[in-house]
mmCIF file of all heavy atoms in Angstrom:
data_model
loop_
_atom_site.group_PDB
_atom_site.id
_atom_site.type_symbol
_atom_site.label_atom_id
_atom_site.label_comp_id
_atom_site.label_asym_id
_atom_site.label_seq_id
_atom_site.Cartn_x
_atom_site.Cartn_y
_atom_site.Cartn_z
ATOM 1 N N ALA A 618 195.735 199.632 -88.675
ATOM 2 C CA ALA A 618 194.825 198.958 -89.590
ATOM 3 C C ALA A 618 194.100 199.901 -90.573
ATOM 4 O O ALA A 618 193.940 199.508 -91.714
ATOM 5 C CB ALA A 618 193.743 198.236 -88.732
ATOM 6 N N MET A 619 193.847 201.090 -90.153
ATOM 7 C CA MET A 619 193.214 202.078 -90.980
ATOM 8 C C MET A 619 194.123 202.534 -92.120
ATOM 9 O O MET A 619 193.701 202.614 -93.321
ATOM 10 C CB MET A 619 192.726 203.252 -90.228
ATOM 11 C CG MET A 619 191.494 202.939 -89.182
ATOM 12 S SD MET A 619 191.165 204.318 -88.096
ATOM 13 C CE MET A 619 190.380 205.469 -89.303
ATOM 14 N N ALA A 620 195.383 202.837 -91.716
ATOM 15 C CA ALA A 620 196.352 203.242 -92.656
ATOM 16 C C ALA A 620 196.591 202.110 -93.721
ATOM 17 O O ALA A 620 196.621 202.424 -94.952
ATOM 18 C CB ALA A 620 197.661 203.654 -91.972
ATOM 19 N N ASP A 621 196.731 200.893 -93.259
ATOM 20 C CA ASP A 621 197.003 199.850 -94.157
ATOM 21 C C ASP A 621 195.781 199.630 -95.137
ATOM 22 O O ASP A 621 195.915 199.407 -96.338
ATOM 23 C CB ASP A 621 197.138 198.524 -93.346
ATOM 24 C CG ASP A 621 197.539 197.348 -94.231
ATOM 25 O OD1 ASP A 621 198.604 197.383 -94.884
ATOM 26 O OD2 ASP A 621 196.788 196.367 -94.262
ATOM 27 N N ALA A 622 194.501 199.792 -94.615
ATOM 28 C CA ALA A 622 193.335 199.514 -95.443
ATOM 29 C C ALA A 622 193.360 200.734 -96.484
ATOM 30 O O ALA A 622 192.898 200.393 -97.654
ATOM 31 C CB ALA A 622 192.039 199.695 -94.570
ATOM 32 N N TRP A 623 193.702 201.953 -96.188
ATOM 33 C CA TRP A 623 193.714 202.964 -97.176
ATOM 34 C C TRP A 623 194.703 202.698 -98.334
ATOM 35 O O TRP A 623 194.348 202.743 -99.474
ATOM 36 C CB TRP A 623 194.124 204.344 -96.551
ATOM 37 C CG TRP A 623 194.269 205.408 -97.644
ATOM 38 C CD1 TRP A 623 195.442 205.753 -98.200
ATOM 39 C CD2 TRP A 623 193.171 206.180 -98.270
ATOM 40 N NE1 TRP A 623 195.201 206.682 -99.240
ATOM 41 C CE2 TRP A 623 193.832 206.967 -99.244
ATOM 42 C CE3 TRP A 623 191.900 206.242 -98.091
ATOM 43 C CZ2 TRP A 623 193.165 207.818 -100.100
ATOM 44 C CZ3 TRP A 623 191.155 207.076 -98.866
ATOM 45 C CH2 TRP A 623 191.797 207.827 -99.929
ATOM 46 N N VAL A 624 195.890 202.280 -97.930
ATOM 47 C CA VAL A 624 196.937 201.973 -98.945
ATOM 48 C C VAL A 624 196.553 200.814 -99.838
ATOM 49 O O VAL A 624 196.801 200.822 -101.029
ATOM 50 C CB VAL A 624 198.274 201.650 -98.197
ATOM 51 C CG1 VAL A 624 199.347 201.193 -99.210
ATOM 52 C CG2 VAL A 624 198.803 202.945 -97.470
ATOM 53 N N ARG A 625 195.863 199.815 -99.273
ATOM 54 C CA ARG A 625 195.573 198.593 -100.042
ATOM 55 C C ARG A 625 194.326 198.816 -100.939
ATOM 56 O O ARG A 625 194.156 198.078 -101.924
ATOM 57 C CB ARG A 625 195.356 197.420 -99.040
ATOM 58 C CG ARG A 625 196.625 196.940 -98.386
ATOM 59 C CD ARG A 625 196.302 195.858 -97.403
ATOM 60 N NE ARG A 625 197.447 195.353 -96.826
ATOM 61 C CZ ARG A 625 198.300 194.345 -97.299
ATOM 62 N NH1 ARG A 625 197.927 193.837 -98.487
ATOM 63 N NH2 ARG A 625 199.308 193.967 -96.636
ATOM 64 N N SER A 626 193.443 199.663 -100.570
ATOM 65 C CA SER A 626 192.178 199.818 -101.427
ATOM 66 C C SER A 626 192.335 200.654 -102.634
ATOM 67 O O SER A 626 193.107 201.623 -102.687
ATOM 68 C CB SER A 626 191.095 200.432 -100.470
ATOM 69 O OG SER A 626 189.919 200.615 -101.268
ATOM 70 N N ALA A 627 191.628 200.174 -103.657
ATOM 71 C CA ALA A 627 191.555 200.988 -104.906
ATOM 72 C C ALA A 627 190.112 201.224 -105.270
ATOM 73 O O ALA A 627 189.833 201.469 -106.429
ATOM 74 C CB ALA A 627 192.223 200.174 -106.050
ATOM 75 N N ALA A 628 189.213 201.108 -104.239
ATOM 76 C CA ALA A 628 187.774 201.375 -104.540
ATOM 77 C C ALA A 628 187.499 202.834 -104.727
ATOM 78 O O ALA A 628 188.301 203.704 -104.467
ATOM 79 C CB ALA A 628 187.004 200.822 -103.343
ATOM 80 N N PRO A 629 186.327 203.106 -105.270
ATOM 81 C CA PRO A 629 185.876 204.592 -105.377
ATOM 82 C C PRO A 629 186.004 205.158 -103.949
ATOM 83 O O PRO A 629 185.898 204.458 -102.985
ATOM 84 C CB PRO A 629 184.442 204.463 -105.859
ATOM 85 C CG PRO A 629 184.329 203.174 -106.576
ATOM 86 C CD PRO A 629 185.271 202.228 -105.890
#
Side-chain angles (χ1 to χ4, degrees):
M619 293 172 70
D621 185 62
W623 173 267
V624 171
R625 290 177 179 274
S626 177

